[in-house]
Amino acid sequence: MNLTNFRFEIDPDGVALATWDMPERSMNVITPEVMDELETIIDTVVADPNVKGCVIASGKSAFSGGADLSMLQHGAAQYAKALKEQGEDAANKQFFDFSRRLSLLYRKLETCGKPFAIAIHGVCLGGAFELALACHYRVMADDEKTKVGLPEIKVGLFPGAGGTQRVSRIMQTGDALQFLFRGDQIKPRAALGAKLVHEIAPKAEIVDRARAFIVNGGKAQAPWDVKDFKTPSGRVFSPTGMMIWPAANAIYRRETYDNYPAAKAILHAVYEGLQLPMDQALTVESRWFAHILRSKEAAAMIRSLFLSKNELDKGAHRPKDVGPTNLKKIGIIGAGFMGAGVGYISALNGLDVVLIDRDQESADKGVATIDKLISSSVSKGRATAADKDSLMARIVATSDYAALKGCDLVLEAVFEDRAVKADVTKRAQEVVGADVIFASNTSTLPITSLAETTQKPENFIGIHFFSPVEKMLLVEVILGKKTGDRALATALDFVRIIKKTPIVVNDSRGFFANRCVLNYVREGQIMLVDGVPPAMIETVARMAGMPVGPLSLNDEVALDLGWKILQATKKDLGEGSVDPAQERVLRFVVEENGRFGRKNGKGFYDYHANGTKSLWPGLSALAQNELDPDTLDVMEMKQRFLVTQAVEAARAMAEGVVTDPREADVGSILGFGFAPFTGGVISYIDGMGAKAFVALCDKLAAKFGPRFEPPQLLRDMAAKGESFYGRFMPRKLAA
Ligand code: NAD
């Protein structure tokens, strides 16, 4: 047998072992070649009378991450080609055949007549876990690193190789739907409890246990292929079914606002599939899968959340001619909210950390914050006591700058005050010298001007984290005018070590993410003054796809901070630079009513002792008109929320603040949760086309004001029929 991606051997008991171990890849993924070879293995096992059955295992440190998503992108391109050349019917047929190949292959394995068992260690996700579900027996290593799951929903897809049908025949319908909707990765004991695997065992024994299933005469028949099989929740059309399905539909609506076709397709596939025998059920699933695979939401999400994110994670903008920086020890000045967060993730990822503050007490406070974060992980079972000990041992907290000696990078996160920042940088440089790279976590001060306070501005860069640091996935790396390649490479290497996603941004007021998100918050404030009921503002924003309403978000960030930024903007850029409605709202809540947001228990919301919150009734005093909610145009409100952010992103691209549409897209989803189903701020514009977007901006500008006016760049693109991806990444697109 001629195999490249598997090793195949047969033991004296007649049990075959297929070890999946793709050459030149650190992780196994499902590719067309892997499918071909798996088919060969099935055929061989079936044809050889000496082979009783087969164990599938992995030769890598993990099982597999699932299908190669670029293969799916390729399928979409093939569809477009076939559509042009052969017409819709032929294109649809070809696409359907392409999209269900894996499903048919797994069904062939399941019904081949000989038993297949699988030994899983490390992550086993997506299409790889669907392979496991088709095997007759599943053994999972009982360790921290081993997890199974079907995370397809996270990139706008759903498990289309039998996953929806097998899971809903193993678990109660409600649990199955949750598992499919959430895309969570689950640990061995939970997987065993949910009956998703048959057995858990120490890693060293999993192959033997899987083999034992075959040697002991394990059946080559899935439970659902046994006559009179009953699904765990019984029939769809039954009193139990009627308890489940209306609720499931309501939960779907509540969680997605109907923005995610893949989630709806899961409901369809399970609901329809459970009423059919397995083969027809799989066909139903395949039809939904082909439909979703061609949806613009899946294309946008795969591009931004998988392909582009991976490219940025690997350092798409790292200067090629700077060698590895080999970071081992990092200095952080300012052990407050942000500094402690950065210290935590740095130590968590193996770096030695020196945490400096004004005095020992303040530095110790930072350590206490870190202790709390890691202790919470330990109590949730995500880390061990030994992990905590080794993490804490990597941290030195002091007020003595001499401890910075030997640091490969120093980052300051002291008060947002130019003089304080200049002072701490100078003191640190006296110890480590001017050749060590310095970074600032400032959120508002221009990096170029901060760099001027150092001896070598080329070694100075912005590394802007989002709060809470341990949760937020994005980091903005900001280039000052004189920032050099070594500083950029060092910053990107650091971001890679701490497992965040970087976007590289040129110096500008608010950098990128805050510029866009502040527009979102402002739109909510303007609506308040217009007289839109506050509850409607919050709900419609979520209907547009934002994770939280603008008033809630503003409360979390702090209203007094917003008021300070507004005043600073006015001082720097003049009277006309701030929106009068926004000024009115912030003056009213902050100055006149002392409401600062969640931090003092009162903002746009009242925060109650029992942990709940409710909109502050006093907000009604802000409304200039009393609008009847029934007369408000919900679609237009949704557009206002998304367009105000997208047009700001377009301005940032026009000004050269962001130069790569992938960064704007990924940054907008990871940084501030911009409606993920759109693929991000730029994909939102490209998705509707520059012409339609400009027309929409003009319409909104005529009705609501110049804040919606598009930049000249967009008008030029509209006239030429260009897209951002076409204009800014022509080579990539042609590839
Ligand atoms: P913070 O007040 O929680 O922490 C600041 C820390 O700096 C304090 O521990 C303080 O004792 C210390 N400090 C002050 N002067 C010092 C000095 N001379 N020497 C040594 N230490 C000194 O503030 P924070 O929220 O962590 O913000 C820090 C920086 O991060 C600011 O530049 C802020 O703009 C930026 N930032 C904040 C956020 C956020 O959401 N809070 C987000 C991104 C960036």
Side-chain angles (χ1 to χ4, degrees), residues 442-486:
T442 176
S443 24
T444 54
L445 303 170
I447 294 302
T448 305
S449 67
L450 288 179
E452 290 307 329
T453 65
T454 70
Q455 293 170 37
K456 290 193 175 168
E458 66 269 30
N459 289 344
F460 195 84
I461 193 161
I463 304 185
H464 182 222
F465 286 88
F466 295 82
S467 79
V469 178
E470 69 283 3
K471 291 216 178 92
M472 297 297 287
L473 299 172
L474 186 74
V475 172
E476 279 179 327
V477 172
I478 297 125
L479 300 176
K481 281 228 164 56
K482 293 188 182 156
T483 301
D485 278 358
R486 197 168 64 85

mmCIF file of all heavy atoms in Angstrom, residues 442-486:
data_model
loop_
_atom_site.group_PDB
_atom_site.id
_atom_site.type_symbol
_atom_site.label_atom_id
_atom_site.label_comp_id
_atom_site.label_asym_id
_atom_site.label_seq_id
_atom_site.Cartn_x
_atom_site.Cartn_y
_atom_site.Cartn_z
ATOM 1 N N THR A 442 0.555 52.882 26.373
ATOM 2 C CA THR A 442 -0.349 54.044 26.393
ATOM 3 C C THR A 442 -1.574 53.810 25.516
ATOM 4 O O THR A 442 -1.473 53.140 24.479
ATOM 5 C CB THR A 442 0.376 55.313 25.904
ATOM 6 O OG1 THR A 442 -0.577 56.381 25.869
ATOM 7 C CG2 THR A 442 0.964 55.141 24.518
ATOM 8 N N SER A 443 -2.715 54.370 25.931
ATOM 9 C CA SER A 443 -3.876 54.241 25.039
ATOM 10 C C SER A 443 -4.140 55.518 24.264
ATOM 11 O O SER A 443 -4.885 55.493 23.298
ATOM 12 C CB SER A 443 -5.124 53.819 25.810
ATOM 13 O OG SER A 443 -5.068 54.164 27.148
ATOM 14 N N THR A 444 -3.548 56.641 24.684
ATOM 15 C CA THR A 444 -3.881 57.889 23.984
ATOM 16 C C THR A 444 -2.673 58.714 23.548
ATOM 17 O O THR A 444 -2.787 59.530 22.633
ATOM 18 C CB THR A 444 -4.749 58.797 24.899
ATOM 19 O OG1 THR A 444 -4.061 58.966 26.132
ATOM 20 C CG2 THR A 444 -6.110 58.204 25.147
ATOM 21 N N LEU A 445 -1.513 58.526 24.186
ATOM 22 C CA LEU A 445 -0.382 59.417 23.863
ATOM 23 C C LEU A 445 0.331 58.942 22.600
ATOM 24 O O LEU A 445 0.590 57.748 22.459
ATOM 25 C CB LEU A 445 0.602 59.446 25.044
ATOM 26 C CG LEU A 445 -0.004 59.888 26.380
ATOM 27 C CD1 LEU A 445 0.970 59.648 27.525
ATOM 28 C CD2 LEU A 445 -0.402 61.358 26.317
ATOM 29 N N PRO A 446 0.647 59.879 21.689
ATOM 30 C CA PRO A 446 1.323 59.458 20.448
ATOM 31 C C PRO A 446 2.681 58.819 20.743
ATOM 32 O O PRO A 446 3.462 59.341 21.544
ATOM 33 C CB PRO A 446 1.499 60.770 19.674
ATOM 34 C CG PRO A 446 0.551 61.737 20.292
ATOM 35 C CD PRO A 446 0.359 61.323 21.703
ATOM 36 N N ILE A 447 2.930 57.681 20.107
ATOM 37 C CA ILE A 447 4.177 56.940 20.310
ATOM 38 C C ILE A 447 5.371 57.772 19.821
ATOM 39 O O ILE A 447 6.433 57.796 20.445
ATOM 40 C CB ILE A 447 4.108 55.585 19.559
ATOM 41 C CG1 ILE A 447 3.025 54.699 20.190
ATOM 42 C CG2 ILE A 447 5.444 54.873 19.558
ATOM 43 C CD1 ILE A 447 3.207 54.396 21.660
ATOM 44 N N THR A 448 5.165 58.498 18.715
ATOM 45 C CA THR A 448 6.265 59.290 18.147
ATOM 46 C C THR A 448 6.788 60.286 19.172
ATOM 47 O O THR A 448 7.999 60.436 19.346
ATOM 48 C CB THR A 448 5.769 60.028 16.885
ATOM 49 O OG1 THR A 448 5.230 59.041 16.010
ATOM 50 C CG2 THR A 448 6.889 60.772 16.199
ATOM 51 N N SER A 449 5.875 60.952 19.888
ATOM 52 C CA SER A 449 6.338 61.969 20.835
ATOM 53 C C SER A 449 6.933 61.319 22.085
ATOM 54 O O SER A 449 7.904 61.809 22.642
ATOM 55 C CB SER A 449 5.205 62.934 21.189
ATOM 56 O OG SER A 449 4.223 62.252 21.919
ATOM 57 N N LEU A 450 6.386 60.172 22.520
ATOM 58 C CA LEU A 450 6.987 59.482 23.670
ATOM 59 C C LEU A 450 8.400 59.004 23.319
ATOM 60 O O LEU A 450 9.314 59.059 24.142
ATOM 61 C CB LEU A 450 6.138 58.273 24.094
ATOM 62 C CG LEU A 450 4.796 58.572 24.778
ATOM 63 C CD1 LEU A 450 4.081 57.252 25.099
ATOM 64 C CD2 LEU A 450 4.992 59.366 26.062
ATOM 65 N N ALA A 451 8.566 58.580 22.073
ATOM 66 C CA ALA A 451 9.874 58.068 21.640
ATOM 67 C C ALA A 451 10.935 59.156 21.727
ATOM 68 O O ALA A 451 12.105 58.881 21.993
ATOM 69 C CB ALA A 451 9.771 57.533 20.215
ATOM 70 N N GLU A 452 10.522 60.396 21.516
ATOM 71 C CA GLU A 452 11.483 61.504 21.531
ATOM 72 C C GLU A 452 12.105 61.716 22.904
ATOM 73 O O GLU A 452 13.134 62.357 23.035
ATOM 74 C CB GLU A 452 10.806 62.807 21.058
ATOM 75 C CG GLU A 452 10.451 62.824 19.574
ATOM 76 C CD GLU A 452 11.634 62.479 18.668
ATOM 77 O OE1 GLU A 452 12.791 62.786 19.027
ATOM 78 O OE2 GLU A 452 11.407 61.850 17.603
ATOM 79 N N THR A 453 11.454 61.170 23.952
ATOM 80 C CA THR A 453 12.019 61.349 25.285
ATOM 81 C C THR A 453 13.084 60.288 25.588
ATOM 82 O O THR A 453 13.624 60.238 26.677
ATOM 83 C CB THR A 453 10.922 61.256 26.372
ATOM 84 O OG1 THR A 453 10.398 59.926 26.369
ATOM 85 C CG2 THR A 453 9.795 62.242 26.138
ATOM 86 N N THR A 454 13.345 59.413 24.616
ATOM 87 C CA THR A 454 14.347 58.354 24.852
ATOM 88 C C THR A 454 15.604 58.653 24.029
ATOM 89 O O THR A 454 15.572 59.478 23.106
ATOM 90 C CB THR A 454 13.823 56.973 24.427
ATOM 91 O OG1 THR A 454 13.736 56.941 23.002
ATOM 92 C CG2 THR A 454 12.456 56.694 25.018
ATOM 93 N N GLN A 455 16.668 57.918 24.353
ATOM 94 C CA GLN A 455 17.917 58.179 23.629
ATOM 95 C C GLN A 455 17.858 57.665 22.188
ATOM 96 O O GLN A 455 18.448 58.236 21.296
ATOM 97 C CB GLN A 455 19.080 57.487 24.338
ATOM 98 C CG GLN A 455 19.385 58.078 25.704
ATOM 99 C CD GLN A 455 20.376 57.189 26.447
ATOM 100 O OE1 GLN A 455 21.288 56.619 25.869
ATOM 101 N NE2 GLN A 455 20.194 57.065 27.746
ATOM 102 N N LYS A 456 17.172 56.564 21.982
ATOM 103 C CA LYS A 456 17.127 55.994 20.628
ATOM 104 C C LYS A 456 15.681 55.711 20.226
ATOM 105 O O LYS A 456 15.160 54.615 20.474
ATOM 106 C CB LYS A 456 17.937 54.689 20.581
ATOM 107 C CG LYS A 456 19.426 54.891 20.714
ATOM 108 C CD LYS A 456 20.171 53.620 20.342
ATOM 109 C CE LYS A 456 21.672 53.870 20.361
ATOM 110 N NZ LYS A 456 22.437 52.628 20.295
ATOM 111 N N PRO A 457 15.047 56.686 19.593
ATOM 112 C CA PRO A 457 13.625 56.508 19.224
ATOM 113 C C PRO A 457 13.377 55.290 18.343
ATOM 114 O O PRO A 457 12.277 54.746 18.318
ATOM 115 C CB PRO A 457 13.279 57.800 18.469
ATOM 116 C CG PRO A 457 14.341 58.778 18.838
ATOM 117 C CD PRO A 457 15.561 58.005 19.225
ATOM 118 N N GLU A 458 14.417 54.840 17.623
ATOM 119 C CA GLU A 458 14.214 53.660 16.762
ATOM 120 C C GLU A 458 13.967 52.400 17.589
ATOM 121 O O GLU A 458 13.443 51.405 17.091
ATOM 122 C CB GLU A 458 15.405 53.450 15.806
ATOM 123 C CG GLU A 458 16.734 53.079 16.451
ATOM 124 C CD GLU A 458 17.596 54.298 16.793
ATOM 125 O OE1 GLU A 458 17.004 55.369 17.073
ATOM 126 O OE2 GLU A 458 18.834 54.185 16.798
ATOM 127 N N ASN A 459 14.334 52.455 18.878
ATOM 128 C CA ASN A 459 14.121 51.289 19.743
ATOM 129 C C ASN A 459 12.839 51.398 20.564
ATOM 130 O O ASN A 459 12.644 50.646 21.519
ATOM 131 C CB ASN A 459 15.320 51.108 20.689
ATOM 132 C CG ASN A 459 16.538 50.641 19.927
ATOM 133 O OD1 ASN A 459 16.418 50.181 18.797
ATOM 134 N ND2 ASN A 459 17.699 50.782 20.530
ATOM 135 N N PHE A 460 11.980 52.335 20.210
ATOM 136 C CA PHE A 460 10.764 52.574 21.000
ATOM 137 C C PHE A 460 9.526 52.225 20.171
ATOM 138 O O PHE A 460 9.443 52.546 18.988
ATOM 139 C CB PHE A 460 10.717 54.048 21.415
ATOM 140 C CG PHE A 460 9.731 54.316 22.511
ATOM 141 C CD1 PHE A 460 10.080 54.116 23.846
ATOM 142 C CD2 PHE A 460 8.444 54.759 22.222
ATOM 143 C CE1 PHE A 460 9.161 54.356 24.865
ATOM 144 C CE2 PHE A 460 7.533 55.004 23.228
ATOM 145 C CZ PHE A 460 7.889 54.800 24.551
ATOM 146 N N ILE A 461 8.558 51.571 20.813
ATOM 147 C CA ILE A 461 7.373 51.097 20.087
ATOM 148 C C ILE A 461 6.166 51.055 21.027
ATOM 149 O O ILE A 461 6.345 51.015 22.260
ATOM 150 C CB ILE A 461 7.676 49.684 19.484
ATOM 151 C CG1 ILE A 461 6.617 49.284 18.452
ATOM 152 C CG2 ILE A 461 7.802 48.605 20.580
ATOM 153 C CD1 ILE A 461 7.069 48.186 17.513
ATOM 154 N N GLY A 462 4.978 51.075 20.471
ATOM 155 C CA GLY A 462 3.765 50.935 21.297
ATOM 156 C C GLY A 462 3.302 49.478 21.296
ATOM 157 O O GLY A 462 3.293 48.820 20.245
ATOM 158 N N ILE A 463 2.988 48.961 22.464
ATOM 159 C CA ILE A 463 2.346 47.629 22.529
ATOM 160 C C ILE A 463 1.085 47.844 23.359
ATOM 161 O O ILE A 463 1.145 47.944 24.578
ATOM 162 C CB ILE A 463 3.263 46.562 23.169
ATOM 163 C CG1 ILE A 463 4.603 46.475 22.422
ATOM 164 C CG2 ILE A 463 2.571 45.200 23.151
ATOM 165 C CD1 ILE A 463 5.531 45.356 22.914
ATOM 166 N N HIS A 464 -0.018 47.966 22.662
ATOM 167 C CA HIS A 464 -1.264 48.379 23.305
ATOM 168 C C HIS A 464 -2.153 47.168 23.589
ATOM 169 O O HIS A 464 -2.658 46.532 22.653
ATOM 170 C CB HIS A 464 -1.983 49.378 22.384
ATOM 171 C CG HIS A 464 -3.256 49.909 22.946
ATOM 172 N ND1 HIS A 464 -4.399 50.079 22.200
ATOM 173 C CD2 HIS A 464 -3.578 50.309 24.194
ATOM 174 C CE1 HIS A 464 -5.358 50.561 22.964
ATOM 175 N NE2 HIS A 464 -4.883 50.712 24.177
ATOM 176 N N PHE A 465 -2.319 46.892 24.870
ATOM 177 C CA PHE A 465 -3.163 45.762 25.285
ATOM 178 C C PHE A 465 -4.592 46.241 25.518
ATOM 179 O O PHE A 465 -4.842 47.422 25.737
ATOM 180 C CB PHE A 465 -2.619 45.160 26.592
ATOM 181 C CG PHE A 465 -1.377 44.353 26.388
ATOM 182 C CD1 PHE A 465 -0.121 44.955 26.415
ATOM 183 C CD2 PHE A 465 -1.452 42.995 26.162
ATOM 184 C CE1 PHE A 465 1.020 44.204 26.212
ATOM 185 C CE2 PHE A 465 -0.308 42.239 25.964
ATOM 186 C CZ PHE A 465 0.939 42.850 25.993
ATOM 187 N N PHE A 466 -5.492 45.301 25.527
ATOM 188 C CA PHE A 466 -6.888 45.600 25.839
ATOM 189 C C PHE A 466 -7.236 44.939 27.170
ATOM 190 O O PHE A 466 -6.649 43.917 27.525
ATOM 191 C CB PHE A 466 -7.804 45.074 24.727
ATOM 192 C CG PHE A 466 -7.568 45.796 23.427
ATOM 193 C CD1 PHE A 466 -6.517 45.432 22.597
ATOM 194 C CD2 PHE A 466 -8.362 46.869 23.059
ATOM 195 C CE1 PHE A 466 -6.257 46.122 21.432
ATOM 196 C CE2 PHE A 466 -8.116 47.561 21.884
ATOM 197 C CZ PHE A 466 -7.061 47.183 21.068
ATOM 198 N N SER A 467 -8.180 45.513 27.868
ATOM 199 C CA SER A 467 -8.484 44.940 29.189
ATOM 200 C C SER A 467 -9.773 44.111 29.137
ATOM 201 O O SER A 467 -10.678 44.452 28.366
ATOM 202 C CB SER A 467 -8.616 46.063 30.218
ATOM 203 O OG SER A 467 -9.877 46.661 30.113
ATOM 204 N N PRO A 468 -9.880 43.039 29.910
ATOM 205 C CA PRO A 468 -8.820 42.473 30.737
ATOM 206 C C PRO A 468 -7.783 41.707 29.909
ATOM 207 O O PRO A 468 -8.153 40.928 29.015
ATOM 208 C CB PRO A 468 -9.587 41.510 31.650
ATOM 209 C CG PRO A 468 -10.849 41.179 30.918
ATOM 210 C CD PRO A 468 -11.160 42.303 30.010
ATOM 211 N N VAL A 469 -6.522 41.976 30.219
ATOM 212 C CA VAL A 469 -5.421 41.468 29.387
ATOM 213 C C VAL A 469 -5.475 39.948 29.238
ATOM 214 O O VAL A 469 -5.220 39.406 28.161
ATOM 215 C CB VAL A 469 -4.062 41.867 30.020
ATOM 216 C CG1 VAL A 469 -2.911 41.311 29.205
ATOM 217 C CG2 VAL A 469 -3.948 43.369 30.121
ATOM 218 N N GLU A 470 -5.830 39.252 30.315
ATOM 219 C CA GLU A 470 -5.768 37.785 30.249
ATOM 220 C C GLU A 470 -6.857 37.216 29.344
ATOM 221 O O GLU A 470 -6.745 36.093 28.874
ATOM 222 C CB GLU A 470 -5.824 37.167 31.657
ATOM 223 C CG GLU A 470 -7.139 37.295 32.404
ATOM 224 C CD GLU A 470 -7.397 38.668 33.016
ATOM 225 O OE1 GLU A 470 -6.577 39.583 32.817
ATOM 226 O OE2 GLU A 470 -8.431 38.828 33.680
ATOM 227 N N LYS A 471 -7.874 37.999 29.057
ATOM 228 C CA LYS A 471 -8.967 37.472 28.216
ATOM 229 C C LYS A 471 -8.898 37.984 26.776
ATOM 230 O O LYS A 471 -9.246 37.268 25.847
ATOM 231 C CB LYS A 471 -10.310 37.917 28.807
ATOM 232 C CG LYS A 471 -10.640 37.260 30.111
ATOM 233 C CD LYS A 471 -12.146 36.986 30.229
ATOM 234 C CE LYS A 471 -12.467 36.276 31.516
ATOM 235 N NZ LYS A 471 -12.812 37.192 32.623
ATOM 236 N N MET A 472 -8.515 39.243 26.602
ATOM 237 C CA MET A 472 -8.600 39.820 25.260
ATOM 238 C C MET A 472 -7.479 39.276 24.367
ATOM 239 O O MET A 472 -6.328 39.202 24.767
ATOM 240 C CB MET A 472 -8.506 41.352 25.339
ATOM 241 C CG MET A 472 -9.651 41.973 26.112
ATOM 242 S SD MET A 472 -11.257 41.691 25.332
ATOM 243 C CE MET A 472 -11.156 42.794 23.938
ATOM 244 N N LEU A 473 -7.854 38.905 23.140
ATOM 245 C CA LEU A 473 -6.907 38.205 22.276
ATOM 246 C C LEU A 473 -6.047 39.143 21.427
ATOM 247 O O LEU A 473 -5.057 38.734 20.847
ATOM 248 C CB LEU A 473 -7.681 37.273 21.335
ATOM 249 C CG LEU A 473 -8.492 36.180 22.026
ATOM 250 C CD1 LEU A 473 -9.366 35.441 21.032
ATOM 251 C CD2 LEU A 473 -7.535 35.207 22.710
ATOM 252 N N LEU A 474 -6.463 40.414 21.337
ATOM 253 C CA LEU A 474 -5.778 41.320 20.404
ATOM 254 C C LEU A 474 -4.737 42.185 21.097
ATOM 255 O O LEU A 474 -4.911 42.586 22.253
ATOM 256 C CB LEU A 474 -6.818 42.243 19.750
ATOM 257 C CG LEU A 474 -6.272 43.136 18.640
ATOM 258 C CD1 LEU A 474 -5.999 42.319 17.386
ATOM 259 C CD2 LEU A 474 -7.226 44.284 18.320
ATOM 260 N N VAL A 475 -3.659 42.482 20.357
ATOM 261 C CA VAL A 475 -2.689 43.490 20.797
ATOM 262 C C VAL A 475 -2.403 44.388 19.594
ATOM 263 O O VAL A 475 -2.148 43.885 18.491
ATOM 264 C CB VAL A 475 -1.377 42.822 21.270
ATOM 265 C CG1 VAL A 475 -0.311 43.877 21.535
ATOM 266 C CG2 VAL A 475 -1.614 42.008 22.532
ATOM 267 N N GLU A 476 -2.470 45.716 19.817
ATOM 268 C CA GLU A 476 -2.088 46.638 18.745
ATOM 269 C C GLU A 476 -0.615 46.988 18.934
ATOM 270 O O GLU A 476 -0.226 47.452 20.011
ATOM 271 C CB GLU A 476 -2.903 47.932 18.836
ATOM 272 C CG GLU A 476 -4.277 47.835 18.237
ATOM 273 C CD GLU A 476 -5.063 49.150 18.365
ATOM 274 O OE1 GLU A 476 -4.879 49.875 19.362
ATOM 275 O OE2 GLU A 476 -5.860 49.438 17.489
ATOM 276 N N VAL A 477 0.169 46.773 17.889
ATOM 277 C CA VAL A 477 1.578 47.171 17.937
ATOM 278 C C VAL A 477 1.672 48.476 17.164
ATOM 279 O O VAL A 477 1.285 48.534 15.996
ATOM 280 C CB VAL A 477 2.464 46.068 17.308
ATOM 281 C CG1 VAL A 477 3.897 46.553 17.185
ATOM 282 C CG2 VAL A 477 2.392 44.800 18.150
ATOM 283 N N ILE A 478 2.157 49.540 17.835
ATOM 284 C CA ILE A 478 2.092 50.861 17.194
ATOM 285 C C ILE A 478 3.480 51.378 16.839
ATOM 286 O O ILE A 478 4.381 51.427 17.677
ATOM 287 C CB ILE A 478 1.358 51.860 18.113
ATOM 288 C CG1 ILE A 478 -0.078 51.374 18.285
ATOM 289 C CG2 ILE A 478 1.357 53.249 17.516
ATOM 290 C CD1 ILE A 478 -0.467 51.219 19.684
ATOM 291 N N LEU A 479 3.590 51.744 15.563
ATOM 292 C CA LEU A 479 4.881 52.232 15.073
ATOM 293 C C LEU A 479 4.943 53.746 15.199
ATOM 294 O O LEU A 479 4.089 54.454 14.650
ATOM 295 C CB LEU A 479 5.040 51.868 13.595
ATOM 296 C CG LEU A 479 4.999 50.380 13.255
ATOM 297 C CD1 LEU A 479 5.064 50.180 11.744
ATOM 298 C CD2 LEU A 479 6.165 49.666 13.936
ATOM 299 N N GLY A 480 5.941 54.246 15.922
ATOM 300 C CA GLY A 480 6.208 55.680 15.894
ATOM 301 C C GLY A 480 6.908 56.000 14.573
ATOM 302 O O GLY A 480 7.321 55.080 13.852
ATOM 303 N N LYS A 481 7.064 57.290 14.276
ATOM 304 C CA LYS A 481 7.692 57.678 12.989
ATOM 305 C C LYS A 481 9.081 57.058 12.846
ATOM 306 O O LYS A 481 9.502 56.703 11.752
ATOM 307 C CB LYS A 481 7.805 59.208 12.911
ATOM 308 C CG LYS A 481 6.481 59.866 12.537
ATOM 309 C CD LYS A 481 6.665 60.894 11.430
ATOM 310 C CE LYS A 481 5.330 61.243 10.796
ATOM 311 N NZ LYS A 481 4.330 61.721 11.781
ATOM 312 N N LYS A 482 9.804 56.966 13.975
ATOM 313 C CA LYS A 482 11.190 56.497 13.853
ATOM 314 C C LYS A 482 11.381 55.048 14.301
ATOM 315 O O LYS A 482 12.506 54.554 14.328
ATOM 316 C CB LYS A 482 12.088 57.398 14.698
ATOM 317 C CG LYS A 482 12.157 58.828 14.156
ATOM 318 C CD LYS A 482 13.198 59.630 14.909
ATOM 319 C CE LYS A 482 13.218 61.063 14.396
ATOM 320 N NZ LYS A 482 13.747 61.990 15.401
ATOM 321 N N THR A 483 10.303 54.361 14.667
ATOM 322 C CA THR A 483 10.449 52.980 15.157
ATOM 323 C C THR A 483 11.161 52.108 14.119
ATOM 324 O O THR A 483 10.789 52.112 12.939
ATOM 325 C CB THR A 483 9.066 52.368 15.466
ATOM 326 O OG1 THR A 483 8.427 53.174 16.435
ATOM 327 C CG2 THR A 483 9.191 50.949 15.989
ATOM 328 N N GLY A 484 12.167 51.382 14.560
ATOM 329 C CA GLY A 484 12.955 50.569 13.634
ATOM 330 C C GLY A 484 12.485 49.119 13.559
ATOM 331 O O GLY A 484 11.632 48.679 14.349
ATOM 332 N N ASP A 485 13.063 48.380 12.626
ATOM 333 C CA ASP A 485 12.662 46.996 12.383
ATOM 334 C C ASP A 485 12.912 46.082 13.582
ATOM 335 O O ASP A 485 12.157 45.153 13.837
ATOM 336 C CB ASP A 485 13.434 46.431 11.176
ATOM 337 C CG ASP A 485 12.774 46.851 9.868
ATOM 338 O OD1 ASP A 485 11.718 47.544 9.941
ATOM 339 O OD2 ASP A 485 13.299 46.516 8.800
ATOM 340 N N ARG A 486 14.012 46.348 14.305
ATOM 341 C CA ARG A 486 14.321 45.454 15.433
ATOM 342 C C ARG A 486 13.258 45.596 16.523
ATOM 343 O O ARG A 486 12.857 44.623 17.155
ATOM 344 C CB ARG A 486 15.722 45.765 15.983
ATOM 345 C CG ARG A 486 16.288 44.645 16.856
ATOM 346 C CD ARG A 486 17.760 44.856 17.129
ATOM 347 N NE ARG A 486 18.007 46.053 17.905
ATOM 348 C CZ ARG A 486 17.948 46.124 19.243
ATOM 349 N NH1 ARG A 486 17.656 45.037 19.941
ATOM 350 N NH2 ARG A 486 18.189 47.249 19.864
#
